Amino acid sequence: MPELFVHNSLSRRKERFVPIDPAHVRMYVCGPTVYDLAHFGNARPVVVFDVLLRVLRRLYPRVTYVRNITDIDDKINARSKESGEPIGTITARTTADYQADMAALSALPPDEEPRATAHVAEMIAVTQRLIDSGHAYEAEGHVLFAVRSYERYGHLSGRSPEELLAGARIDVAPYKRDAGDFVLWKPSTDDLPGWDSPWGRGRPGWHIECSAMAWRYLGESFDIHGGGSDLIFPHHENELSQSLCAFPGSVFARYWMHNGMLLVNGEKMSKSLGNFFTVRDVLAKAPGEAVRLLLLRSHYRASLDFSDAALAETRGDLDRFYRALARFPDVDGTAEMPASVMDALCDDLNTPLALSAMHALADKAMAGDFEAARGLRAAGTLMGVLASEPEAWFRGGTDDSTSIEAAIADRIAARKARDFARADAIRADLLAQGIVLEDGPNGTTWRRAS
């Protein structure tokens, strides 16, 4: 098996992956804040780290993957106040929506999916450790992390103290010792969610949630922490600092991996620009398999530019792969993984290079190479695509096959009666519905339009 190399945001270089325990690799990825449908940018880290998970599971005997659910957050509280809907109803519905959307992208479920509301006790425990060690202090019902107590604060984001302060966007409250100190615990009024604590009724800050849940399921030190590059500061910077201070001698996460941001037609996605899409919006345009492959066409650390044209190109790529597989109806994915694909993914998840290798396999399969077709199917398994049968892909998963087959039968009857005008009208009507008919020596078959 090849060695795995990943780009470590902490060292700012590509490193050979050496797990803390080769018998058990552990990975944590920041999950969603559940107050609305997931926007399309939320899908990228899920798909990226799903591929990494699949690679790790081929290389190591056991992998534990944790992805949290943030269901304590002021955005959720605000949404509940605006809508009048109970917080628990909002978070339950949007969690289920998120899980369904990620499943539609063929993302494997995490081994653990902890909810913040179920781990407040751990958050209180970590906060108390920080107070006891002099890295946090209580002020007016708040508990804050003292950034000046940790001399390496800023080393993940690579920012100076001045840059950190300028970029923190912090409301400098009068009870803070330093403007950059961040909240571990804050008081709750009667109309907000709250839990009893040594500092009064309140709720945790965002950063302490991930530290506590990672500790609960992966221990004081684990292998990989992932997320979007927008989380490097302040979330991951704060998470790393408080965890190292709460558990002296630990490394928290040995490797930090961050995916690049999503653009839409070259611009940052935002509601103000009118180019904001949810995952559901994009899934309405194309099958989940095509959406997933689009998210893998660019290297995960680079920005990804979404457009309808790019999505159409990706569907074309899948059409090509499935046409190659269709030459061998009995091909399965049990073949040995092609070295060209595995080597590409072990080189810091180089998915564009892996896709190039898959196109080369498709070329060989189209030329009649059965082993290449088997390798293509195996590569698809590692990339999380090509799970369908070719016929099902080309029919687009439509559930109206009975009426389509009836229309084809009518067309055949019309042709036999030499009523070619009716036969052409039936073909045109089906085409208007996105159904393409193909006449061959074995009869008429149909597929969805690409």
Side-chain angles (χ1 to χ4, degrees), residues 109-124:
D111 298 292
E112 301 286 349
E113 195 171 33
R115 293 175 295 107
T117 49
H119 297 83
V120 175
E122 289 92 336
M123 299 168 201
I124 291 173

Side-chain angles (χ1 to χ4, degrees), residues 160-222:
S160 68
E162 293 75 17
E163 290 173 322
L164 288 166
L165 182 57
R169 301 179 185 174
I170 297 170
D171 179 18
V172 183
Y175 49 77
K176 288 186 177 184
R177 295 178 184 172
D178 189 279
D181 293 351
F182 59 86
V183 172
L184 303 172
W185 188 265
K186 51 189 172 184
S188 291
T189 55
D190 291 342
D191 61 330
L192 291 173
W195 290 261
D196 292 333
S197 79
W199 320 288
R201 181 179 179 276
R203 61 195 190 280
W206 176 33
H207 313 304
I208 200 68
E209 294 180 12
C210 284
S211 285
M213 288 184 281
W215 169 52
R216 165 65 176 79
Y217 291 96
L218 300 176
E220 296 179 10
S221 298
F222 55 95

